[in-house]
């Protein structure tokens, strides 16, 4: 059973609510990423997950320095599966004129209606935030990125798993924690319950603090939960920033129903050749392998692989990828691979 800290309010944060009624209870979650350049210029990218494509063309962000920033819709991805259908991407740039610690945030309306672990979910807004440290005006930093979409989950035996697959281009040290999602005025939503604290089942849930992998063992209620996974990056003892994934964790099958793998799961093992992996499976049949990039887009055409076969990714550029393996029985498994040649 996990314990988690209440989100700390930062005195420097200015609560700025921007409500977009077009969303009308279709929001699943979101996260905010940044790239800080050595002159205080901060490139921002917001990922917003939704059940519908109705959306504004711009979203206003409070950058935490007393001004406002505007992000423009740049792309819409259609997601596979049953949990949230679209990922909306917004981009913009904001310039900081002095060092400091800043909380960037935006409040949007409203959350999905099928959430079990918060009261009155359709009346709850969604606050997306990120913290950034600028120790001096020559600092450069790229925030950690979660390379799997929020809708990416799989079963490992009787445990529902979500792996954020965090990647930090700067090689900073990463630490993970669970938090309380924020709502109106970007304040923590209270009361709030972890997925296993809803109902009277014997389920449990926890976060691996070293990897950011969330596990929900023996879920016994169909439905969805709000979950907040926080990743803080450290460099030479300095907290450089904190990215938060506010997400909708969906349960569409219960323990014992369509469990994908009750024992071992297929996996990809590195070989002596960088970028080439060996498939170790748990069936004599073939797996369909689908490779997607950090944005969830297909990087290679699907291919069939048997146990012991090689998956050659040397044609792909360096970076993080997700390999989704599917067997003939409908079982699926996702594994993150990192190419760094």
């Amino acid at each position: 059973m996990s314990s988690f800290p209440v989100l700390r309010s930062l005195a420097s944060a200015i609560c700025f609510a921007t409500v977009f009624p077009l969303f009308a209870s279709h929001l699943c979650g979101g996260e905010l990423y940044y790239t800080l350049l050595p002159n205080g210029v901060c490139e921002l990218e917001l990922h917003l997950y939704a059940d519908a494509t109705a959306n504004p063309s711009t979203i206003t962000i409070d950058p935490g320095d007393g001004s406002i920033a505007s992000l423009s819709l740049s792309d819409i991805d259609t997601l596979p599966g049953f949990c949230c259908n679209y990922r909306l991407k917004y981009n913009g740039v904001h310039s900081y004129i002095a060092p400091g610690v800043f909380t960037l945030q935006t409040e949007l309306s409203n959350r999905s209606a099928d959430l079990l672990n918060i009261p009155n979910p359709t009346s709850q807004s969604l606050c997306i935030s990120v913290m950034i440290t600028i120790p001096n005006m020559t600092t450069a930093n790229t925030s950690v990125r979660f390379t799997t979409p929020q809708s990416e989950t799989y079963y490992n035996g009787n445990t529902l798993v979500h792996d954020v697959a965090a990647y930090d281009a700067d090689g900073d040290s990463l630490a993970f924690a669970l938090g309380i999602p924020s709502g109106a005025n970007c304040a923590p939503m209270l009361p709030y319950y972890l997925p296993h604290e809803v109902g009277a089942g014997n389920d449990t849930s926890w976060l691996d603090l070293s990897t950011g992998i969330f596990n929900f063992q023996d879920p016994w209620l169909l439905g969805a939960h709000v979950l907040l996974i926080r990743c803080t990056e450290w460099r030479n003892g300095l907290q450089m920033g904190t990215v938060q994934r506010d997400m909708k964790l969906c349960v569409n099958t219960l323990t014992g129903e369509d469990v994908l793998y009750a024992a071992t799961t297929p996996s990809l093992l590195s070989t002596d050749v960088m970028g080439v992996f060996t498939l170790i499976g748990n069936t004599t049949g073939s797996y369909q392998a689908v490779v997607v990039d950090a944005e969830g887009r297909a990087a290679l055409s699907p291919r069939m692989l048997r146990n012991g076969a090689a998956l050659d990714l040397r044609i792909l550029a360096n970076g993080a990828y997700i390999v989704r393996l599917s067997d003939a029985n409908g079982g699926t498994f996702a594994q993150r691979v990192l190419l760094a040649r």
Side-chain angles (χ1 to χ4, degrees), residues 105-121:
Q105 59 189 16
T106 185
E107 183 183 338
L108 305 168
S109 179
N110 292 24
R111 291 182 183 265
S112 176
D114 56 348
L115 301 171
L116 301 174
N117 60 336
I118 58 173
N120 304 316

Side-chain angles (χ1 to χ4, degrees), residues 174-234:
L174 304 180
F176 299 88
L178 292 176
I180 298 178
S182 298
N185 298 320
C186 287
M189 290 192 300
L190 296 173
Y192 170 76
Y193 304 96
L194 283 173
H196 73 275
E197 295 174 330
V198 178
N202 294 320
D203 49 349
T204 186
S205 61
W206 70 94
L207 183 76
D208 187 318
L209 302 183
S210 62
T211 64
I213 298 176
F214 183 79
N215 299 270
F216 188 12
Q217 187 177 46
D218 289 326
W220 72 288
L221 283 176
L222 295 176
H225 302 80
V226 180
L227 188 67
L228 187 132
I229 300 176
R230 178 186 298 126
C231 181
T232 301
E233 53 180 315
W234 298 84

Side-chain angles (χ1 to χ4, degrees), residues 229-248:
I229 300 176
R230 178 186 298 126
C231 181
T232 301
E233 53 180 315
W234 298 84
R235 183 184 302 173
N236 300 322
L238 179 65
Q239 182 176 340
M240 296 299 297
T242 299
V243 171
Q244 299 188 136
R245 166 165 280 188
D246 186 314
M247 63 175 286
K248 176 182 176 182

Side-chain angles (χ1 to χ4, degrees), residues 102-341:
F102 304 96
T103 296
L104 300 84
Q105 59 189 16
T106 185
E107 183 183 338
L108 305 168
S109 179
N110 292 24
R111 291 182 183 265
S112 176
D114 56 348
L115 301 171
L116 301 174
N117 60 336
I118 58 173
N120 304 316
T122 56
S123 65
Q124 300 278 7
S125 55
L126 168 68
C127 177
I128 303 172
S129 67
V130 66
M131 188 275 282
I132 176 174
T133 298
I134 307 178
N136 55 67
M137 298 306 289
T138 62
T139 297
N141 184 40
T142 299
S143 69
V144 65
R145 295 184 73 93
F146 300 141
T147 61
T148 55
Q150 292 192 3
S151 56
E152 184 80 63
T153 59
Y154 61 91
Y155 268 98
N156 184 5
N158 63 351
T159 302
L160 181 66
V161 180
H162 175 67
D163 183 356
V164 297
Y167 174 68
D168 189 275
D170 305 309
D172 295 326
S173 298
L174 304 180
F176 299 88
L178 292 176
I180 298 178
S182 298
N185 298 320
C186 287
M189 290 192 300
L190 296 173
Y192 170 76
Y193 304 96
L194 283 173
H196 73 275
E197 295 174 330
V198 178
N202 294 320
D203 49 349
T204 186
S205 61
W206 70 94
L207 183 76
D208 187 318
L209 302 183
S210 62
T211 64
I213 298 176
F214 183 79
N215 299 270
F216 188 12
Q217 187 177 46
D218 289 326
W220 72 288
L221 283 176
L222 295 176
H225 302 80
V226 180
L227 188 67
L228 187 132
I229 300 176
R230 178 186 298 126
C231 181
T232 301
E233 53 180 315
W234 298 84
R235 183 184 302 173
N236 300 322
L238 179 65
Q239 182 176 340
M240 296 299 297
T242 299
V243 171
Q244 299 188 136
R245 166 165 280 188
D246 186 314
M247 63 175 286
K248 176 182 176 182
L249 180 73
C250 297
V251 180
N252 76 324
T253 61
L254 303 180
T255 301
E257 299 179 13
D258 300 327
V259 173
L260 301 188
Y261 294 104
T264 59
T265 57
S267 61
L268 296 169
L269 302 181
S270 300
T271 67
D272 293 336
V273 180
M274 181 64 69
V276 179
F277 303 85
T278 299
L279 171 63
I280 304 299
N282 62 344
T283 178
T284 58
S286 297
Y287 294 89
Q288 182 186 62
V290 176
V291 183
V292 299
D293 62 17
E295 300 299 321
R297 299 178 179 179
L300 290 176
S301 57
R303 56 204 60 200
M304 300 302 296
L305 298 175
R306 299 187 70 85
N307 188 24
L311 178 63
D312 190 342
L313 303 182
R314 287 177 292 180
I315 193 175
L316 301 179
N318 286 350
Y321 296 87
I322 300 297
V323 181
R324 301 189 184 112
L325 301 170
S326 303
D327 63 23
N329 297 320
T332 60
F333 178 78
Q335 180 173 337
R336 174 178 177 266
V337 297
L338 183 63
L339 302 182
R341 298 179 292 272

